[in-house]
Amino acid sequence: MSVSTAGIQLQRGSEAVRQLVELLSSMRFAIALLTIISIASVIGTVILQNEDINSYINQFGPFWYRVFEVMGLYTVFSAWWFALMLAFLVLSTTLCVLRTSPKMLADIRQFKENIREQSLKAFPLRAQAVLAEGSEAAAQRIGQTLLASGWKVRLQSRETPTGKGWMVAAKAGAWNKLGYILTHSAIVVICAGALLDGRLMVQMQTLFLGKTVFEGGGLISEVPDEHRLSDWNPSFRGSILVTEGAVTGTAILPQPGGVLLQELPFRIELLDFIVEYHANGQPKLFASEILIHDLYTGEVIPKRVMVNHPAYHRGVTIFQASYDDGGSLVRLRGLAMGDGAAPFDISGRIGQSTTLTRGGETFTLEFTDFNLYNVENFTNTPGAMAAQAGGGGFNLGNEIQRRLGSAHRTVGEFDLRNVGPSVTYKLRDAAGQAREFHNFMLPVELDGQRVFVLGVRETQAEDFRYLRIPVDDQDQVDGFLRLRAALADPAMRSEAVRRYVAEAAAGQRPELQQALTMSAQRALDLFAGQDPEIANLPQRDMPVLAGLQAVSAFMEVNVPEAERERAGDVLLRILNGGLFELYQLSREQAGLAPAPRNERTAAFMTQSVLSLSDSFFYPAPLTFMMSDFEQVEASVFQVARAPGRNIVYFGCLLLTLGMIAMLYVRERRVWVWLAPKPDGDGVDATMAMSSNRKISDNDRDFVLLRQHLLLQPPKANA
């Protein structure tokens, strides 16, 4: 290769580098990057980040879940492409600042006193006058006037054919250009701080130090060292769960596909987790009393961590993020939903499981969660809605009034109540299929009736569906369960029918008693789901046909449509009467006195009919009611080492100063050229003014300057 060829190639390479630098430092490139970063930030705000995989699949479907996963939309702010765009934005803005700052700084220092007279005459804001004083004296007077008004002034003398002329150059607000430098530098500083506090340091360790993401399960102490980050890690953000009385020093860092474990330079011991509540059960304070065990000095430091009041140690910030159950002991009472089997007691700790055998089937009972307080909004219950309506329907005046008043008022008034402890468990069959149940320990008053509430859902993506069970005269669930077991017994149904007919048709003709007996028996058998006719009724995709659904299906098939309303009223009265006798019979077998015929018993029977009808769709043969508990609490802390935080704060300060300089500081420059007249009688003065903004204040300022510098009245023409 000849020297000339190598020189040409070197020149071409230099030109390519120059063009690349110009592209990276161009305004269009930076704006394009900012636009893409803004769109990505919006996506990361709309799509919840670092959620469970199943929630994404349920929300978007399998196909789009996979597409969004490949694009990294579930971890936008820690995705490699987001970090790469931030890096390019830092590079682009840095090059832009390096290219333009020297020129701007030089322009700030310059007075531009070498401007020509002809150039001044081309300015939009210009004026000419004849001064009756010498050129040097006029220059000194004008300079002193400008200095007194806060301008920076420089005088320059020039030789002219008619004598020595003077140029007066003045400037004000020239450091407006610092706003550009500070603003762009702030972008660099903030992005650099964001990169430092992001996953960059963690990713560097996974790339160059052999650290890998842990995708399995088990105890934290059994996780190998290749999945652990040292306590010298300069930047991280993770969570740590500490149970009361336990000591923990390993945080969990969620990563795409798994987790990394972050060792802390100290251990956290939770002494007590404190929750304080308002009168309506709403929490008002979450706090953790902790001890910090320093691994390097051996110190034990007491700290209190509250929401919005973190603790600090060795550059690590400890936030109160949430709370959880720490393995509470719950004692449950197993109740049969239909066959009358005797109740039994079972206990376990949250997070553990036990095996049950019933009727040849094996179930696994998993204790998943315990809540001491459950605050529910009772505003939207039918009773509350009726009370709000006041029986008068829609009222415009009321609607307007509800929206007026003090700012703290809302459109809907909330009736918040604490309904007491609850337990959540899963019942898993031998095939591994599980349903989740959520049962409250205490009865809840709904629509004027005290009921136990039993929740169930098939998957965690669904909301719980609740079965209401009315309390008996002892405020327990036993009365309903006895009635449910009696309904499943054919002999007890027959006896209840006999007692009902004997009372309802006493003294009537035998054929009438026989007809009532057949109707009552048919109604109870249909309601119990054990009538032979059920096999011929439309199932309507229901897993079991019983309860009021079976009665409705029977009438649809056997009763003409015109007579269904009347026949339905009769059949329901017969059904209610038979169920009441069945309830009395169940109490008799339990050795209890007959239930009195009063309003409370009537309300119990009304809710029992609905609950019995719904109970046939309860998807488990057993339910578990909590009888006692021993709560163990745990705190969930977020631990973070964020050295970029102060860098970001400094960048925000630069951004604020830069915006103030750019928006509120106006750069102005004034020139006055003073040339002696040929006849030596006075001085020809030419004045011009420029500004970096075209606003009406410039015209006003120019008129005042012309009046004071050229000694012209305001009405003089420019």
Side-chain angles (χ1 to χ4, degrees):
M1 180 182 297
S2 63
V3 176
S4 59
T5 303
I8 292 173
Q9 291 184 352
L10 182 61
Q11 184 177 3
R12 290 177 178 175
S14 301
E15 181 66 19
V17 171
R18 184 187 65 80
Q19 292 179 355
L20 178 61
V21 171
E22 288 183 355
L23 173 64
L24 291 176
S25 60
S26 66
M27 183 66 70
R28 292 181 179 179
F29 183 74
I31 291 175
L33 280 177
L34 278 173
T35 302
I36 297 174
I37 291 174
S38 300
I39 294 173
S41 300
V42 170
I43 294 174
T45 304
V46 173
I47 299 178
L48 295 178
Q49 302 290 287
N50 299 306
E51 290 290 303
D52 184 71
I53 293 177
N54 293 327
S55 64
Y56 290 129
I57 295 176
N58 293 328
Q59 184 177 2
F60 304 115
F63 174 77
W64 289 109
Y65 159 75
R66 182 58 182 165
V67 173
F68 292 163
E69 183 187 35
V70 172
M71 297 172 63
L73 299 187
Y74 306 135
T75 54
V76 169
F77 303 108
S78 58
W80 64 268
W81 51 266
F82 191 83
L84 184 63
M85 285 193 300
L86 284 179
F88 268 111
L89 181 62
V90 170
L91 177 61
S92 173
T93 311
T94 302
L95 291 175
C96 185
V97 171
L98 292 177
R99 288 184 61 192
T100 57
S101 293
K103 299 178 182 178
M104 289 188 174
L105 293 175
D107 189 66
I108 291 174
R109 294 191 297 268
Q110 291 177 355
F111 285 84
K112 300 182 180 180
E113 67 274 17
N114 294 320
I115 192 170
R116 299 169 55 193
E117 178 184 1
Q118 291 300 115
S119 299
L120 297 181
K121 294 179 180 181
F123 279 66
L125 296 177
R126 63 186 182 278
Q128 290 182 319
V130 176
L131 303 179
E133 51 192 328
S135 59
E136 184 175 357
Q140 293 293 334
R141 177 184 62 80
I142 292 173
Q144 291 298 325
T145 302
L146 289 171
L147 284 173
S149 300
W151 293 71
K152 294 183 178 180
V153 182
R154 176 172 292 181
L155 303 181
Q156 181 193 58
S157 63
R158 302 180 188 175
E159 293 295 333
T160 67
T162 59
K164 181 181 292 187
W166 288 84
M167 173 63 75
V168 181
K171 61 181 180 179
W175 61 281
N176 163 273
K177 291 184 174 60
L178 285 177
Y180 176 90
I181 299 174
L182 293 177
T183 302
H184 285 68
S185 300
I187 295 176
V188 175
V189 172
I190 292 174
C191 290
L195 285 172
L196 186 60
D197 279 355
R199 291 182 56 241
L200 181 62
M201 294 301 166
V202 175
Q203 289 176 327
M204 296 291 287
Q205 296 181 61
T206 58
L207 290 175
F208 302 110
L209 299 182
K211 301 298 182 181
T212 58
V213 174
F214 181 66
E215 300 177 356
L219 299 176
I220 292 180
S221 59
E222 298 176 355
V223 177
D225 290 340
E226 61 265 24
H227 308 303
R228 298 175 180 269
L229 303 180
S230 173
D231 60 10
W232 57 261
N233 185 14
S235 174
F236 61 83
R237 184 179 299 273
S239 60
I240 181 171
L241 184 145
V242 187
T243 304
E244 283 183 336
V247 181
T248 308
T250 304
I252 298 176
L253 278 57
Q255 303 292 313
V259 298
L260 286 170
L261 301 185
Q262 173 64 57
E263 299 294 342
L264 302 177
F266 52 84
R267 298 289 182 262
I268 301 176
E269 179 182 356
L270 179 62
L271 299 179
D272 188 23
F273 177 73
I274 303 168
V275 186
E276 295 181 2
Y277 295 87
H278 294 286
N280 61 2
Q282 281 282 76
K284 67 177 180 180
L285 173 68
F286 295 105
S288 297
E289 299 290 348
I290 65 173
L291 293 178
I292 294 180
H293 300 262
D294 193 291
L295 298 182
Y296 291 91
T297 64
E299 289 183 278
V300 179
I301 307 169
K303 295 279 188 179
R304 183 183 177 95
V305 183
M306 297 189 297
V307 176
N308 299 326
H309 294 83
Y312 304 91
H313 190 70
R314 288 197 175 271
V316 178
T317 307
I318 307 170
F319 300 92
Q320 181 71 58
S322 180
Y323 65 96
D324 205 344
D325 190 272
S328 297
L329 177 65
V330 292
R331 298 179 179 88
L332 307 181
R333 185 183 179 207
L335 304 173
M337 294 293 290
D339 60 5
F344 61 94
D345 295 324
I346 190 170
S347 62
R349 291 194 177 275
I350 300 301
Q352 299 179 355
S353 62
T354 187
T355 303
L356 302 174
T357 302
R358 177 179 172 82
E361 293 185 81
T362 301
F363 299 93
T364 301
L365 177 62
E366 302 174 1
F367 305 91
T368 57
D369 196 12
F370 166 78
N371 288 314
L372 180 61
Y373 294 92
N374 291 274
V375 178
E376 302 292 339
N377 180 18
F378 285 76
T379 304
N380 295 325
T381 60
M385 294 175 66
Q388 288 180 5
F394 178 81
N395 185 292
L396 179 60
N398 291 340
E399 292 299 313
I400 295 176
Q401 183 63 29
R402 289 169 59 196
R403 287 162 173 80
L404 297 179
S406 60
H408 76 276
R409 289 184 57 187
T410 58
V411 174
E413 299 296 333
F414 292 101
D415 181 15
L416 301 177
R417 303 181 203 170
N418 176 26
V419 296
S422 67
V423 64
T424 305
Y425 63 89
K426 289 183 179 180
L427 202 58
R428 191 179 302 275
D429 59 23
Q433 299 296 321
R435 292 184 178 91
E436 190 172 19
F437 299 85
H438 182 216
N439 296 346
F440 291 89
M441 180 179 182
L442 304 175
V444 181
E445 185 170 339
L446 297 175
D447 303 329
Q449 176 71 41
R450 287 177 62 79
V451 294
F452 284 97
V453 182
L454 311 180
V456 60
R457 64 181 177 183
E458 302 294 329
T459 65
Q460 291 187 344
E462 302 176 357
D463 293 328
F464 280 104
R465 296 171 287 117
Y466 289 95
L467 171 66
R468 298 182 182 184
I469 296 180
V471 301
D472 56 19
D473 54 355
Q474 301 298 319
D475 213 39
Q476 298 296 326
V477 73
D478 298 339
F480 175 83
L481 294 178
R482 287 194 299 267
L483 177 58
R484 179 68 177 83
L487 182 64
D489 189 340
M492 294 188 70
R493 291 200 305 271
S494 298
E495 177 62 18
V497 169
R498 186 191 65 78
R499 294 187 180 190
Y500 168 69
V501 174
E503 181 178 350
Q508 301 294 329
R509 299 191 307 273
E511 58 270 20
L512 182 60
Q513 293 183 359
Q514 184 178 4
L516 183 58
T517 300
M518 292 179 60
S519 298
Q521 190 68 51
R522 172 57 59 87
L524 282 180
D525 290 346
L526 284 171
F527 194 80
Q530 297 183 11
D531 191 278
E533 186 69 19
I534 287 181
N536 302 322
L537 299 179
Q539 298 291 321
R540 303 189 186 279
D541 297 328
M542 288 187 289
V544 59
L545 189 59
L548 296 176
Q549 294 81 4
V551 176
S552 176
F554 175 81
M555 293 183 58
E556 182 179 346
V557 172
N558 296 281
V559 180
E561 184 175 358
E563 301 178 11
R564 286 177 190 168
E565 183 175 356
R566 182 181 61 84
D569 291 339
V570 174
L571 193 58
L572 282 179
R573 285 199 299 270
I574 294 174
L575 176 62
N576 289 334
L579 287 173
F580 180 74
E581 293 298 333
L582 194 62
Y583 176 58
Q584 297 286 43
L585 187 59
S586 68
R587 289 179 62 89
E588 180 182 320
Q589 289 195 351
L592 301 175
R597 293 179 180 269
N598 54 23
E599 184 178 350
R600 181 173 181 179
T601 303
F604 170 80
M605 291 304 303
T606 300
Q607 181 62 50
S608 294
V609 172
L610 301 175
S611 301
L612 285 170
S613 182
D614 293 340
S615 68
F616 290 103
F617 299 94
Y618 195 75
L622 294 170
T623 190
F624 293 90
M625 305 288 292
M626 186 165 55
S627 59
D628 197 6
F629 60 86
E630 295 177 11
Q631 186 182 24
V632 179
E633 295 175 302
S635 271
V636 180
F637 300 107
Q638 185 181 78
V639 290
R641 179 178 281 160
R645 177 184 58 189
N646 294 329
I647 298 176
V648 172
Y649 289 161
F650 177 67
C652 292
L653 176 62
L654 293 181
L655 183 63
T656 302
L657 295 176
M659 295 300 293
I660 291 174
M662 293 177 65
L663 296 177
Y664 299 104
V665 177
R666 179 163 51 102
E667 182 184 12
R668 293 168 297 164
R669 290 182 182 270
V670 171
W671 296 269
V672 181
W673 168 244
L674 302 169
K677 295 179 68 65
D679 55 6
D681 187 13
V683 176
D684 288 325
T686 303
M687 187 181 90
M689 190 183 89
S690 69
S691 175
N692 65 328
R693 296 183 194 165
K694 295 182 179 180
I695 57 177
S696 59
D697 289 349
N698 294 333
D699 298 328
R700 183 193 62 192
D701 293 346
F702 183 73
V703 170
L704 293 175
L705 287 172
R706 184 180 61 195
Q707 179 182 358
H708 291 88
L709 301 183
L710 302 185
L711 305 178
Q712 290 184 344
K715 62 181 180 180
N717 294 327

